[in-house]
Amino acid sequence: MYQMKTEAPSSENGSMAALPQGSFWLGVKDCVPTLLGYLSIGFAAGVVGRTSGLSGLEVVLMSTFLYAGSAQFVVSGMFAAGASAGSIILTVLFVNMRHLLLSAALSPYFRGHSAWKNVLLGSQLTDETFGVAIQRLRTGLNGGAGRWMLGLNMTAQLNWIAATWAGAYLGAWIPDPNAVGLPYALPAMFAGLLVMQIAAQHRKLPELLTAAGAAAIFIAALQVMPAGTAVIVAIVAAPGVGMAVERWR
């Protein structure tokens, strides 16, 4: 395991701004902006899972071992529809294939780590922690990337588990999640993260062009294939669009 004893958070006037670079606690601090989103989406995932027929324990176990918001919504919906275990597993595999691309983008920053440490960090990677990590790692951490990433990942997953647990056990008061729009919480959070990431860039045109290209591919694919397949096509094609935009620029 990573050595989690780091320097005590030093600060002036009680501020956490002076946390050392590459520390576990800096990873915890950097995760804070995503926590409110995780609380709302996790609560929605818990409610949807419980109303689909899963037990509260099953919802929490899914958050612990599957730990993928979009996939958990998919599992809940397919379970409620009576889908077979094989079809659920295959669908989740396709939905989560994007993690191969996310992990590949981060792998250069962790080449000095052992295989098991990379597996530990990669197994907790999500779309949201990837967005935080890629921005922080590009600016440099002066060492300690593993400790920082562990702090980010653990904070995010513990928050997610707590949120889904709350949704699973309090969701009995919400018998129809569709009536209050809970299934739309996940795409709403992704849209918010996209806007925040683009706003943080000095040059926004490449990111806007990449997003527009991915949207155009999705709309075109939607004309000839189901929505779920069109999403996967757009996800796979988006990195190619980004590379083309970078070369053109």
Side-chain angles (χ1 to χ4, degrees):
M1 291 294 292
Y2 288 104
Q3 185 179 359
M4 292 174 58
K5 293 181 180 180
T6 60
E7 299 177 27
S10 58
S11 59
E12 296 180 3
N13 300 324
S15 170
M16 294 185 67
L19 286 169
Q21 290 287 307
S23 74
F24 176 88
W25 295 110
L26 181 63
V28 172
K29 176 179 177 289
D30 285 345
C31 188
V32 169
T34 69
L35 295 188
L36 288 178
Y38 266 45
L39 285 173
S40 59
I41 306 305
F43 186 87
V47 172
V48 172
R50 191 62 184 273
T51 56
S52 71
L54 296 171
S55 69
L57 178 60
E58 288 169 334
V59 170
V60 171
L61 288 175
M62 189 160 57
S63 294
T64 303
F65 296 105
L66 177 56
Y67 184 42
S70 55
Q72 288 179 229
F73 278 102
V74 167
V75 170
S76 298
M78 294 185 70
F79 182 81
S84 66
S87 63
I88 292 175
I89 292 171
L90 186 62
T91 303
V92 168
L93 176 64
F94 278 108
V95 169
N96 284 346
M97 281 184 66
R98 69 188 185 281
H99 288 279
L100 293 174
L101 301 175
L102 302 183
S103 299
L106 292 182
S107 63
Y109 301 100
F110 299 97
R111 285 177 179 166
H113 293 71
S114 63
W116 74 267
K117 287 182 178 179
N118 281 329
V119 168
L120 174 64
L121 295 175
S123 65
Q124 290 185 301
L125 185 66
T126 67
D127 301 274
E128 295 78 23
T129 56
F130 171 81
V132 174
I134 198 67
Q135 293 298 322
R136 172 66 78 172
L137 293 171
R138 280 174 176 172
T139 60
L141 279 170
N142 299 320
R147 291 190 299 272
W148 176 86
M149 192 73 187
L150 187 64
L152 175 72
N153 284 344
M154 287 185 64
T155 304
Q157 185 167 12
L158 289 174
N159 185 67
W160 176 260
I161 292 172
T164 54
W165 175 87
Y169 286 97
L170 299 177
W173 296 358
I174 310 176
D176 184 9
N178 290 307
V180 293
L182 287 180
Y184 294 97
L186 186 66
M189 185 175 70
F190 283 148
L193 288 170
L194 176 63
V195 171
M196 290 173 61
Q197 187 166 352
I198 292 176
Q201 300 296 321
H202 295 296
R203 295 183 178 180
K204 298 178 175 55
L205 183 59
E207 284 73 16
L208 290 171
L209 290 175
T210 302
I217 292 171
F218 168 73
I219 293 172
L222 192 60
Q223 309 307 310
V224 295
M225 60 185 66
T229 306
V231 169
I232 295 172
V233 169
I235 290 172
V236 174
V241 175
M243 291 178 60
V245 170
E246 286 292 330
R247 290 192 176 185
W248 170 76
R249 187 181 66 171

